[in-house]
């Protein structure tokens, strides 16, 4: 295990600046997620940590070692890609044992190591099978076990779940997180899927156009986005943004509720809302409409639990409100957050 330190790293391809002066520290044993839209530079950053790309500027330290110019094989890292590249003609055992065979490790030591890794990922009973007889999630575990036998200091994972279907992806995500908790190896995980990032990461790094927009725990990033890019990139539907005279006002759909439901001791900002469409999602309903009245007419979305007895009258103005603690303010010109609120501890309890 090791701490990873990235110091002022940039990567310039021809005239394109794919990664622009990024500095990050990944703590020993931490699960860090690099998140951002397609083309933001997250894979390039990961590939530089792996040693598959040379940085144009900057330095990378893995543990105490300066690794910037080390060959991938000398960094003691393990990479798991979307494409697991298992050997189809080999059994699960042989696939996992492969890196040890290449290193010339003797049979007894190999056996012990494979059993240990298979046990950690829950494949002990499947060692004699071939990959084609296994599910996508199980194949992913073979790839993990295969990287594990090398005792890596750092796991680098580039969208390893993206070729699984939605249900499998969910369980594979859970397994991956449990696995990392057990093994405790420093892990850096690339994804463009914010749900995956929120579910997996101890901390998330939100990237855009080669730069880091925000680094924080999932809660910090969701509740206190550093700027309007993060505010709208995280969350589905995204944070509502309304441009008022002096600044940009932000509130999440689930904080935007019919005014009648707020507990009387909660300070709220009333907002007039004209709903024109309702989308039923099961546990919640999404109300699409426009805020108006004292605010400039702007499209917005409210998310209301289906259990709340509220029936909107389509096309007419209704009184809604946002708890003041849930309002966010951003600089109109730079988009940067102006202040950091402490959120209402129990958001649902504020609404009765
Ligand atoms: P995705 O989620 O689509 O994989 P990403 O955030 O991982 O995107 P990168 O693969 O890191 O993005 O690419 C960042 C930018 O650098 C992109 O604009 C890409 O076109 C460019 N790029 C990546 N590799 C090269 C290369 N070898 N030569 C030139 N440009 C490259």
């Amino acid at each position: 295990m090791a701490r990873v330190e990235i110091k002022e790293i940039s990567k310039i391809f021809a005239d394109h600046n794919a990664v622009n002066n990024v500095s990050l520290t990944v703590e020993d044993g931490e699960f860090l997620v690099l998140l951002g839209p397609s083309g933001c530079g997250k894979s390039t950053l990961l590939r530089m940590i792996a040693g598959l790309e040379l940085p144009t500027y900057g330095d990378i330290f893995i543990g105490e070692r300066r690794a910037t110019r080390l060959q991938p094989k000398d960094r003691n890292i393990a990479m798991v890609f979307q494409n697991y590249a298992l050997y189809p003609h080999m059994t699960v055992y042989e696939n996992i044992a492969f890196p040890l065979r290449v290193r010339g490790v003797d049979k007894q030591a190999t056996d012990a190591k494979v059993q240990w890794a298979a046990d950690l990922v829950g494949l002990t009973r499947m060692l004699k099978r071939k990959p084609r007889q296994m599910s996508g999630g199980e194949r992913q575990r073979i790839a993990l076990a295969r990287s594990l036998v090398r005792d890596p200091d750092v796991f680098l994972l580039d969208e390893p779940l993206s070729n699984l279907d939605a249900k499998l992806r969910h369980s594979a995500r859970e397994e991956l997180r449990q696995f990392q908790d057990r093994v405790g190896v420093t892990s850096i995980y690339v994804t463009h899927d914010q749900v995956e990032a929120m579910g997996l990461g101890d901390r998330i790094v939100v990237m855009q156009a080669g730069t880091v927009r925000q680094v924080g725990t999932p809660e910090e990033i969701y509740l206190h986005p550093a700027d309007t890019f993060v505010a709208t990139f995280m969350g589905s539907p995204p944070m509502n943004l309304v441009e008022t005279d002096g600044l940009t006002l932000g509130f999440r759909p689930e904080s935007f509720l019919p005014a009648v439901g707020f507990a009387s001791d909660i300070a709220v900002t009333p907002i007039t809302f004209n709903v024109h469409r309702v989308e039923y999602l099961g546990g919640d309903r999404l109300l699409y409409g426009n805020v108006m009245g004292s605010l400039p007419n702007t499209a917005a979305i409210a998310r209301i639990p289906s259990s709340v007895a509220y029936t909107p009258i389509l096309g007419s103005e209704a009184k809604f409100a946002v708890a003041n603690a849930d309002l966010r303010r951003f600089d109109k010109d730079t988009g940067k957050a102006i202040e950091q609120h402490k959120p209402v501890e129990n958001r649902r309890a504020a609404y009765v």
Side-chain angles (χ1 to χ4, degrees):
M1 289 201 284
R3 186 169 189 258
V4 177
E5 218 177 331
I6 296 157
K7 288 189 175 164
E8 297 172 1
I9 279 282
S10 295
K11 178 71 187 180
I12 302 169
F13 290 113
D15 57 353
H16 178 68
N17 205 346
V19 173
N20 190 3
N21 197 23
V22 167
S23 294
L24 279 176
T25 302
V26 193
E27 297 301 338
D28 193 3
E30 185 178 27
F31 198 122
L32 188 88
V33 177
L34 303 179
L35 172 72
S38 182
C40 71
K42 48 197 188 301
S43 294
T44 304
L45 181 56
L46 196 79
R47 288 170 62 81
M48 288 194 280
I49 302 168
L52 302 173
E53 297 280 2
L54 259 183
T56 315
Y57 304 109
D59 259 324
I60 296 167
F61 290 83
I62 300 178
E64 298 304 315
R65 278 197 308 171
R66 183 160 177 262
T68 321
R69 285 173 191 279
L70 289 181
Q71 291 292 317
K73 66 178 172 46
D74 298 326
R75 296 185 182 210
N76 204 24
I77 41 116
M79 276 201 92
V80 182
F81 293 98
Q82 176 181 347
N83 182 353
Y84 314 135
L86 299 173
Y87 300 104
H89 59 285
M90 291 186 189
T91 62
V92 172
Y93 180 100
E94 289 162 346
N95 266 286
I96 299 175
F98 189 77
L100 301 175
R101 229 178 66 196
V102 172
R103 281 188 194 173
V105 176
D106 71 45
K107 186 169 176 335
Q108 201 181 358
T110 299
D111 224 33
K113 200 85 206 192
V114 172
Q115 291 293 346
W116 167 79
D119 191 37
L120 266 173
V121 299
L123 285 178
T124 315
R125 297 208 184 134
M126 303 181 193
L127 287 172
K128 289 188 180 143
R129 287 204 210 163
K130 297 268 176 67
R132 73 178 131 75
Q133 299 166 300
M134 327 259 305
S135 74
E138 288 162 351
R139 282 184 218 161
Q140 187 220 0
R141 286 191 259 154
I142 306 174
L144 280 173
R146 186 176 57 185
S147 18
L148 206 55
V149 293
R150 299 165 45 202
D151 285 329
D153 283 332
V154 182
F155 263 125
L156 302 177
L157 305 109
D158 195 348
E159 309 238 10
L161 310 184
S162 54
N163 56 357
L164 305 182
D165 67 43
K167 194 167 162 221
L168 208 57
R169 220 175 144 133
H170 191 267
S171 59
R173 191 165 79 215
E174 222 171 272
E175 281 181 10
L176 190 62
R177 184 63 237 208
Q178 279 177 18
F179 157 78
Q180 206 268 350
D181 285 343
R182 271 198 308 271
V183 191
V185 179
T186 311
S187 303
I188 308 176
Y189 186 102
V190 161
T191 183
H192 62 269
D193 179 338
Q194 47 148 316
V195 177
E196 207 161 278
M198 300 275 276
L200 281 172
D202 292 319
R203 282 188 307 154
I204 300 174
V205 178
V206 183
M207 292 183 66
Q208 193 226 5
T211 61
V212 170
R213 288 302 192 118
Q214 188 171 6
V215 184
T217 63
E219 287 84 356
E220 280 163 2
I221 288 189
Y222 188 77
L223 295 174
H224 300 285
D227 57 32
T228 48
F229 171 80
V230 179
T232 49
F233 186 72
M234 301 299 287
S236 177
M239 182 179 272
N240 296 303
L241 295 179
V242 182
E243 292 216 347
T244 65
D245 282 344
L247 39 79
T248 304
L249 213 57
F251 46 93
R252 294 249 171 236
E254 66 273 20
S255 306
F256 184 38
L257 297 163
V260 287
F262 279 96
S264 58
D265 56 343
I266 295 288
V268 300
T269 296
I271 296 176
T272 306
F273 191 39
N274 189 331
V275 181
H276 50 72
R277 191 164 74 85
V278 178
E279 198 174 282
Y280 176 69
L281 297 182
D284 292 316
R285 285 168 292 166
L286 296 183
L287 276 45
Y288 293 80
N290 281 61
V291 298
M292 40 184 57
S294 59
L295 292 176
N297 192 319
T298 312
I301 302 174
R303 180 194 286 273
I304 307 215
S306 298
S307 56
V308 169
Y310 174 80
T311 311
I313 301 166
L314 298 188
S316 68
E317 292 181 8
K319 285 185 176 147
F320 271 58
V322 179
N324 288 351
D326 287 347
L327 270 181
R328 298 290 171 267
R329 292 179 172 82
F330 302 95
D331 185 289
K332 208 166 169 175
D333 300 321
T334 64
K336 294 219 177 303
I338 287 175
E339 61 207 309
Q340 298 279 303
H341 277 293
K342 198 167 160 36
V344 175
E345 288 303 329
N346 184 346
R347 311 166 74 75
R348 288 294 188 218
Y351 198 74
V352 290

